[in-house]
């Protein structure tokens, strides 16, 4: 999926030759147009680094008080213990008591078990950034305890790959959140295939990490041993039927479920130039404000309980961004809209990411005022280069078909 010649090191340097500052300031929205299925074959390529590190610097110039929100919130530990206990009680109930309530078990696995499983996935998100407890060791064990009802060892691998996602958001070959090339080709823009792709999205999410073929870390090995030991106890106590309930909860929860819709909401491109989207709806109450995704990427050291405060403190940086208010609508739009498909992402090469990160800095407020007269001309040139890159890619696709 690498671009043809528009993101080579030479092309990146040529595009930015007159830039000392990152011209995306102050919003750090891109100058690209989103990938359109039918016109484009691959995600849209950007010539800049991921935007959130610089957005953070920009926002802190105006709102240094946001740093007071940094820290951890131990309420996540109590939520973890509660959800694990509830899920294990349900596993015992269906495994040893209600042994002939088959369809009831399936419905509960979707409605309750799936919701709990996806909430635990968000606890993984919190412990990954050390937002549950004071030390990294304590946070890792919050993840391992939360992993108990998910059956398969996910917690420590999620931590590893999610941190890489933050560092290399959208970087081709580095960001494990990006769909694989064969996913884009196979699913295409067919509504039926998109529907079934969402059903197995949780499995695909794991597969993308495995595709990187990295050796398991020490904590991942601990996670595996811990999970298999817990699975043995679960089978002994709850029986194989109880284990089946837990498996169904994971598969249904991380599939076509509102608790998993944030995977599509977060970085699939619904608007030109914007690669991260927040969700401001009622689902944030149960799913621990996971919808505040722009806020989280800008300030990953802020725990979930305080993410809405970021938007309140710096409304000028968030109120004008496109956002979602319904996770069901996100799923419906993705399946039915001809403008959305697995290719609806923005990607960048490692060369573009590193060059822009190293050479294009965030201007101070005084510097921003000084360069304002020349910004429009530079932005216009960059937009034309982005449009030309897009047209060249489309022409290449048409020539390949013919």
């Amino acid at each position: 999926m690498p671009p043809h010649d528009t993101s080579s090191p030479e092309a990146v340097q040529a595009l930015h030759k007159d830039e000392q500052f990152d011209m995306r300031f102050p919003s750090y929205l891109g100058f690209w147009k989103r990938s359109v299925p039918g016109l484009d074959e691959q995600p849209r390529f950007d010539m800049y680094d991921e935007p959130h590190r610089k957005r953070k610097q920009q926002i802190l110039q105006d709102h240094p008080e946001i740093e007071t929100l940094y820290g951890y919130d131990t309420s996540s530990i109590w939520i973890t213990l509660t959800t694990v206990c509830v899920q294990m009680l349900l596993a015992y109930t269906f495994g040893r008591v209600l042994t002939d309530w088959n369809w009831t078990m399936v419905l509960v696995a979707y409605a309750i078990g799936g919701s709990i499983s996806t909430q635990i996935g968000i606890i993984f998100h919190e412990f990954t950034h050390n937002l549950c407890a004071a030390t990294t060791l304590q946070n890792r064990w919050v993840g391992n305890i939360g992993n108990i009802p998910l059956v398969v060892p996910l917690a420590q691998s999620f931590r590893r790959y999610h941190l890489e996602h933050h560092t290399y958001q959208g970087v081709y070959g580095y960001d494990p959140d990006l769909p694989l090339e064969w996913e884009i080709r196979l699913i295409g823009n067919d509504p039926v295939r998109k529907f079934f792709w969402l059903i197995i999205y949780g499995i695909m999410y794991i597969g993308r990490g495995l595709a990187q073929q990295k050796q398991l870390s020490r904590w991942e090995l601990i996670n595996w041993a811990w999970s298999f030991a817990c699975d043995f106890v679960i089978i002994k106590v709850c029986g194989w039927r109880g284990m089946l309930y837990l498996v169904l909860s994971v598969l249904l929860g991380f599939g076509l479920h509102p608790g998993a819709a944030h995977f599509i909401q977060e970085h699939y491109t619904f608007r030109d130039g914007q690669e991260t989207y927040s969700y401001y709806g009622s689902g944030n109450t149960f799913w621990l404000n996971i919808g505040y995704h722009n806020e989280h990427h800008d300030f990953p050291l802020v725990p979930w309980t305080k993410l809405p405060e970021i938007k309140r403190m710096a409304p000028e940086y968030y109120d004008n961004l496109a956002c979602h208010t319904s996770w069901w609508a996100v799923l419906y739009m993705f399946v039915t809209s001809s403008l959305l498909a697995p290719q609806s992402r923005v990607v960048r090469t490692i060369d573009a990411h590193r060059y822009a990160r190293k050479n294009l800095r965030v201007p101070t407020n005084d510097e921003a005022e000084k360069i304002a007269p020349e910004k429009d001309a530079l932005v216009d040139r960059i937009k034309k280069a982005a449009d030309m890159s897009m047209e060249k890619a489309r022409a290449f696709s048409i020539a390949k078909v013919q």
Side-chain angles (χ1 to χ4, degrees), residues 38-53:
L39 292 176
D40 303 293
E41 289 187 337
Q42 56 190 15
R44 181 67 63 233
F45 278 87
D46 186 26
M47 302 283 273
Y48 284 86
D49 53 329
E50 68 84 23
H52 293 285
R53 183 174 172 180

Side-chain angles (χ1 to χ4, degrees), residues 287-304:
W287 281 284
L288 313 183
N289 288 333
I290 191 65
Y292 286 81
H293 207 62
N294 266 302
E295 293 83 350
H296 166 69
H297 265 272
D298 291 343
F299 298 96
L301 298 182
V302 175
W304 68 272

Side-chain angles (χ1 to χ4, degrees), residues 204-275:
M204 297 310 309
Y205 204 81
I206 296 172
R208 293 168 195 163
L210 295 175
Q212 296 198 3
Q213 299 181 335
K214 294 184 177 181
Q215 186 174 355
L216 292 175
S217 68
R218 180 171 68 92
W219 271 100
E220 285 177 297
L221 292 172
I222 291 172
N223 193 179
W224 279 69
W226 167 262
S227 290
F228 289 145
C230 291
D231 290 349
F232 178 79
V233 174
I234 290 170
I235 292 170
K236 284 291 185 180
V237 175
C238 302
W240 284 102
R241 182 179 167 84
M243 176 63 76
L244 175 62
Y245 165 78
L246 295 177
V247 171
L248 285 173
S249 296
V250 173
L251 292 176
L252 295 174
F254 286 95
L256 202 67
H257 191 284
H262 66 90
F263 291 119
I264 303 299
Q265 158 235 312
E266 291 166 351
H267 297 294
Y268 284 82
T269 52
F270 291 78
R271 175 179 288 186
D272 294 344
Q274 184 174 329
E275 60 183 288

Side-chain angles (χ1 to χ4, degrees), residues 81-194:
L81 294 173
T82 301
T83 53
V84 169
C85 289
V86 169
Q87 188 69 332
M88 296 314 302
L89 178 61
L90 288 170
Y92 180 83
T93 299
F94 286 111
R96 297 299 190 189
V97 182
L98 305 179
T99 55
D100 58 348
W101 290 34
N102 297 325
W103 285 110
T104 301
M105 183 178 76
V106 173
L107 291 174
V108 172
Y110 180 83
I112 300 178
S115 298
I116 289 175
S117 296
T118 49
Q119 188 188 68
I120 290 172
I122 296 160
I123 292 293
F124 287 176
H125 191 259
E126 291 295 295
F127 100 81
T128 290
H129 295 284
N130 289 342
L131 300 176
C132 298
T135 69
T136 299
L137 179 63
Q138 291 169 338
N139 277 280
R140 284 190 181 274
W141 275 103
V142 171
N144 282 345
I145 292 170
N147 206 143
I148 293 172
L150 298 193
V151 180
V152 293
L154 297 174
Q156 305 305 326
S157 294
F158 178 87
R159 183 183 191 276
R160 177 182 189 177
Y161 292 114
H162 183 70
L163 291 176
E164 291 183 0
H165 164 62
H166 272 263
T167 303
Y168 298 109
Q169 179 182 314
V171 177
Y172 176 72
Y174 288 77
D175 182 357
D177 188 63
L178 291 171
L180 301 172
E181 289 185 58
W182 69 263
E183 291 179 71
I184 293 173
R185 291 196 306 268
L186 179 63
I187 305 305
N189 196 26
D190 180 78
V192 175
R193 289 198 292 267
K194 288 193 288 185

